[in-house]
Amino acid sequence: MISLSQVRASTNRIVVLGNHEGIIQSILDFDYLSGHKEGSIVGIVTGRHGFAKYFFGRREILIPTWAIIPNLPRVHNTNYWFFNNYSGRRTLSSTLGLLTSNNSPLKSPFVGGVIFAEGVPELHSLQIIAHNKTLIIGPASVGLIVPGMLKLGAIGGITPAQIDEGKLTEPGHVAVISGSGGMTNELIHVAIAAGHRLSFALSYGGDRFPILSPHDAFLLAESDPETRVVLYYGELGGEDEYELVQLQAEGKFTKKVVAHIAGTVASLFPESPQFGHAKAKADKAKTTALAKRAALKDAGFQVSNSFAEFIRLVNKLK
């Protein structure tokens, strides 16, 4: 799997599957505001050959549209990424097609990508996990951002004002990791309002089986020399947080974490309700928000009892 240091040290190019004008333009705006000489998107798979009009700064540009992805040129020190905007039903075939370009995983030019679709069948997600050795984020993800280098998705907003106000082109030392796309953007806002800048941020996705697990996202942060602190937003349901505790216990994760686990209101119901994300339901005592908060606290993580307290903890970071 590619490291964040490799992302920063390379040129990053993006292929988009399916046309989403707002997200595509936001990626180009990020590139322009980051001082890049050209946009990172090399083509859009739309089912037809032609061109699509976009803007790079004030200059109108044409991006090639393809019926299928052509053979991408191998360029020294260049990473190819994908942003998969297809529906959940088409996610499996389209993603495996990218991972096995030229009928061989070793020949695929892609180092990773983002799956935007929600509701990808769980069996399909598991099949992608079984075939994947790259940095794929999702399903149901708003994306990945490495400030000044790569914006892959709607993460951080889709207008130039949101990119500018979010300081998304200015690198820093605070990472944001969350399954919730909305809360990923909220945590970015909290960090920036407290005077911090991001080393990276990602939404691993709200479906039950994310391709990049929270466990692997934390290892990505651990291996990143620019990341000093991780802001983490979790929810009731699943046992991801116990894997994070185990990582720390084994000495595989050593960095500071400020965490908030949402969903304590579920304890007021006779039976835990299903919340907005597929995994957000506590089916046993250890998967409640209260139990996971306690486990993280016992392991030495900074854990808030309310989101207001979470903001106060971030404001205290140096």
Side-chain angles (χ1 to χ4, degrees), residues 14 22-24 26-27 30 82-83 114 116 141-145 150-158 163:
I14 301 168
I23 294 177
I24 290 172
S26 79
I27 293 171
F30 169 84
F82 67 85
F83 177 68
V114 165
F116 189 52
S141 170
V142 296
L144 162 71
I145 193 162
L150 175 67
K151 184 179 190 291
L152 200 57
I155 187 167
I158 61 171
I163 294 168

Side-chain angles (χ1 to χ4, degrees), residues 28-72:
L28 296 170
D29 291 337
F30 169 84
D31 295 334
Y32 179 79
L33 292 171
S34 296
H36 299 180
K37 294 182 179 179
E38 59 182 349
S40 57
I41 297 175
V42 296
I44 308 167
V45 181
T46 63
R48 64 175 181 83
H49 291 288
F51 294 91
K53 292 182 180 180
Y54 284 92
F55 282 91
F56 188 69
R58 295 183 181 275
R59 177 167 56 93
E60 191 172 55
I61 61 172
L62 296 176
I63 297 178
T65 62
W66 302 319
I68 58 173
I69 299 175
N71 288 328
L72 297 170

Side-chain angles (χ1 to χ4, degrees), residues 242-260:
Y242 295 99
E243 294 185 13
L244 304 182
V245 168
Q246 186 66 25
L247 276 180
Q248 188 182 61
E250 294 173 353
K252 295 178 180 178
F253 186 83
T254 61
K255 298 185 178 181
K256 183 181 293 186
V257 176
V258 180
H260 182 72

Side-chain angles (χ1 to χ4, degrees), residues 292-309:
K292 295 203 285 187
R293 284 183 187 180
L296 290 173
K297 285 180 180 179
D298 289 345
F301 293 93
Q302 290 190 63
V303 184
S304 59
N305 293 312
S306 67
F307 198 70
E309 183 184 358

Side-chain angles (χ1 to χ4, degrees), residues 77-247:
N77 207 34
T78 295
N79 303 318
Y80 283 107
W81 302 83
F82 67 85
F83 177 68
N84 192 339
N85 186 52
Y86 285 163
S87 69
R89 290 183 179 183
R90 299 179 66 188
T91 294
L92 175 63
S93 59
S94 58
T95 302
L96 290 187
L98 294 172
L99 296 180
T100 57
S101 297
N102 300 323
N103 299 315
S104 169
L106 296 177
K107 294 182 181 179
S108 173
F110 292 98
V111 299
V114 165
I115 298 172
F116 189 52
E118 268 188 289
V120 173
E122 293 177 1
L123 179 60
H124 290 187
S125 292
L126 292 172
Q127 287 179 267
I128 296 172
I129 291 170
H131 284 84
N132 179 47
K133 295 182 180 180
T134 64
L135 179 55
I136 295 180
I137 300 165
S141 170
V142 296
L144 162 71
I145 193 162
V146 182
M149 300 305 302
L150 175 67
K151 184 179 190 291
L152 200 57
I155 187 167
I158 61 171
T159 69
Q162 289 171 322
I163 294 168
D164 183 56
E165 292 167 4
K167 310 299 182 184
L168 300 182
T169 64
E170 302 176 20
H173 304 288
V174 174
V176 167
I177 298 174
S178 171
S180 166
M183 291 310 300
T184 299
N185 288 341
E186 182 64 24
L187 264 60
I188 291 173
H189 173 76
V190 169
I192 298 306
H196 306 296
R197 298 294 181 266
L198 302 179
S199 53
F200 74 98
L202 65 83
S203 162
Y204 54 83
D207 279 3
R208 190 175 299 275
F209 296 110
I211 312 302
L212 181 79
S213 66
H215 171 279
D216 290 340
F218 267 62
L219 289 179
L220 189 69
E222 176 67 18
S223 67
D224 180 29
E226 297 301 319
T227 297
R228 298 175 187 169
V229 181
V230 172
L231 307 185
Y232 174 70
Y233 180 91
E235 299 171 320
L236 77 167
E239 299 185 16
D240 294 322
E241 287 72 20
Y242 295 99
E243 294 185 13
L244 304 182
V245 168
Q246 186 66 25
L247 276 180

